[in-house]
Amino acid sequence: MIQEYNSEELIEFYSSNGLEIDHEHSYLGTDLKSLALLENNKVIAAITLSKYKNQNFLEAIAVLPEYRGQGLSNKLFKEITKDIKGTLYTISKNDDYYIKKKWQPITNEEMISDNCKTCNEYKITCYPTVMKIEL
């Protein structure tokens, strides 16, 4: 069952699934909206959107490893973006995933957060890419 979910409660779910999001850094944007897919009251997949620099922004999307390959991320994505028109952005460290889903890489350093730019790994071992998709 898909339901709206408290975005802050999903931080642990996202970080335990390999996303670099935690209570210290929290989310980049504001006006958070999150959906979660639950099975037996357990989150098995989640997605969070926000407004960042006045743009729609995909903050995070994750699916538990044992549930991957079942189209759950697509289902959540369609549901959360059904009322959005225009461009949706994200910052990717897994470009192949987004390109496979028809996202396009762009050069826009302005969309990368200051937290990211001040990280010791930025442009050393981490090369985040700004991606966009037209909805």
Side-chain angles (χ1 to χ4, degrees), residues 1 16 27 34 39 43-44 56 72 90 108 110 130:
M1 164 181 25
S16 67
Y27 296 96
S34 295
E39 186 175 271
V43 176
I44 61 169
N56 291 309
L72 301 180
T90 195
N108 189 341
E110 181 181 308
V130 179

Side-chain angles (χ1 to χ4, degrees), residues 7-8 11 14 20-34 48-60 88-91 110-116:
S7 302
E8 293 297 320
I11 290 175
Y14 289 136
E20 294 176 357
I21 191 167
D22 57 37
H23 289 285
E24 180 181 331
H25 295 103
S26 193
Y27 296 96
L28 300 174
T30 58
D31 299 325
L32 297 172
K33 179 180 179 183
S34 295
T48 299
L49 296 186
S50 73
K51 289 286 189 183
Y52 180 69
K53 298 191 178 188
N54 295 317
Q55 300 292 329
N56 291 309
F57 200 84
L58 172 62
E59 290 277 0
L88 179 65
Y89 295 92
T90 195
I91 296 177
E110 181 181 308
M111 294 300 290
I112 297 177
S113 78
D114 292 336
N115 286 343
C116 191

Side-chain angles (χ1 to χ4, degrees), residues 58-96:
L58 172 62
E59 290 277 0
I61 187 167
V63 178
L64 289 178
E66 60 269 28
Y67 291 91
R68 292 180 185 159
Q70 299 177 28
L72 301 180
S73 64
N74 291 338
K75 186 175 182 179
L76 285 170
F77 185 82
K78 284 179 185 174
E79 181 65 24
I80 205 164
T81 61
K82 69 183 178 188
D83 296 325
I84 295 177
K85 302 285 186 246
T87 306
L88 179 65
Y89 295 92
T90 195
I91 296 177
S92 165
K93 291 184 183 176
N94 184 358
D95 298 352
D96 291 340

